[in-house]
Amino acid sequence: MKEKFLRFMQGRYGVDQFSKALLIAGLVVVLLSSFFTGKGVGTLFYFLGWVLVIYCYFRIFSRNVSKRYAENQKYLAKTYKLRTYIQQQKNSVAQRKVYHIYKCPGCKQKIRIPKGKGKIEIRCPKCGTTFIKKS
């Protein structure tokens, strides 16, 4: 069965970031439609969600690889700032387990200091201001 599926998918575009985003957005919109039952808005959300899911699967099974690749690159370019901001926030949260992050009182530069060193004098590498903090 796995071989049949692999043969079927040969020459087709497959799953990319834009397809994943369309699928998630479609499922969220369909879920939101359940909160607006009995109203025209709920029906509109329901159909819009299914259109997004169907378009996602159309992209996955498409044989026009160059066009799907161009769509994905456009999507990645549009969402670059948001994706980098989210990645920076995840990285910052992960570092807070091992490091204290202080802001320089002079230039507001972020400075990363290892935890567990006691009271230390910190020198800002950007402006040279020194200040004392507990690590």
Side-chain angles (χ1 to χ4, degrees), residues 55-106:
Y55 182 61
C56 165
Y57 279 99
F58 165 76
R59 284 181 43 79
I60 290 171
F61 296 127
S62 173
R63 289 188 183 264
N64 193 350
V65 174
S66 60
K67 193 167 185 177
R68 301 293 90 82
Y69 178 77
E71 290 172 354
N72 188 47
Q73 291 303 312
K74 192 182 290 186
Y75 165 76
L76 292 175
K78 295 273 186 196
T79 60
Y80 176 75
K81 288 183 180 179
L82 177 66
R83 288 182 297 111
T84 54
Y85 175 77
I86 291 170
Q87 188 60 39
Q88 286 173 349
Q89 295 306 313
K90 284 182 182 178
N91 191 20
S92 178
V93 168
Q95 286 183 6
R96 289 189 190 274
K97 294 177 182 174
V98 182
Y99 298 99
H100 279 289
I101 299 174
Y102 296 113
K103 281 190 178 179
C104 171

Side-chain angles (χ1 to χ4, degrees), residues 112-124:
R112 190 177 70 170
I113 305 296
K115 286 186 173 182
K117 302 292 182 188
K119 202 172 198 181
I120 57 172
E121 183 180 36
I122 303 166
R123 185 177 138 334
C124 176

Side-chain angles (χ1 to χ4, degrees), residues 32-47:
L32 280 176
S33 73
S34 67
F35 293 115
F36 299 108
T37 55
K39 299 176 184 145
V41 177
T43 307
L44 180 68
F45 274 18
Y46 183 77
F47 285 119

